[in-house]
Amino acid sequence: PTVVVNETDSYIANRWVFDLGVVLGLEEEAAARWAEYQEKLAVARAQLEETVGDDEVGLFRVRSREFRIYGNVGYTSVLYNEGVGLTPPKLTRELAWGKYNESVSLEVLPRLADAEHLFISVDGDADAARVFSEVEKNPLWQRLPAVQAGRVYPVDRRVWMNDGLLANEQKLRDILDALVP
């Protein structure tokens, strides 16, 4: 059979598990798998509350022709409300909240000064790597408190720019590896 799924908001992360369970005749297994994921989120939330508290944590993506900050919808929902409940930087709340992402210019970097932790995704092409190399040399970047404190965490774009249960579990491991000593 052909099954059509709706890719809206948090649908991707949770409903696909159940829809695939129905299609494959594995509803109970899907429900158990979802419950297992929710338990992992709850444990991570508690750990992060102790180690990170209200520190502001953001995701910044470097592409060959643009920079993006990510909001609380889709790929990065695991960071915020539906996930581990971290606090986004003010810039994220102002420009990207309620969205997947927002393209920004390099000039907005100083507005990320309130972010105590930054996850960075660099696209896999040579242009994006070159652009990020230039960004790292830029005084605007070097003055960011997260950069100065060594709290910038590179993440794999193939994981972080995807959604679903397996990708979200890897993101969760990345978050814990970076933020929980």
Side-chain angles (χ1 to χ4, degrees), residues 45-108:
R45 243 185 248 114
Q47 290 175 316
L48 291 164
E49 180 63 33
E50 282 188 32
T51 60
V52 178
D54 291 332
D55 284 4
E56 296 184 5
V57 181
L59 175 65
F60 187 72
R61 182 178 183 187
V62 179
R63 304 197 73 195
S64 60
R65 291 188 168 78
E66 68 180 344
F67 306 102
R68 292 182 182 176
I69 56 171
Y70 280 77
N72 61 322
V73 176
Y75 304 146
T76 54
S77 64
V78 71
L79 277 173
Y80 303 122
N81 42 359
E82 290 178 16
V84 294
L86 295 172
T87 304
K90 184 177 179 184
L91 183 65
T92 298
R93 292 188 310 266
E94 289 175 356
L95 298 180
W97 206 247
K99 303 178 189 178
Y100 275 93
N101 63 65
E102 183 67 35
S103 293
V104 295
S105 67
L106 197 56
E107 288 75 25
V108 304

Side-chain angles (χ1 to χ4, degrees), residues 2 8 35 38 40 48 50 61 75 88 91 99 129 145 161 171 175:
T2 301
T8 59
Q38 291 301 310
K40 288 177 183 179
L48 291 164
E50 282 188 32
R61 182 178 183 187
Y75 304 146
L91 183 65
K99 303 178 189 178
M161 299 302 123
K171 292 173 204 176
I175 292 165

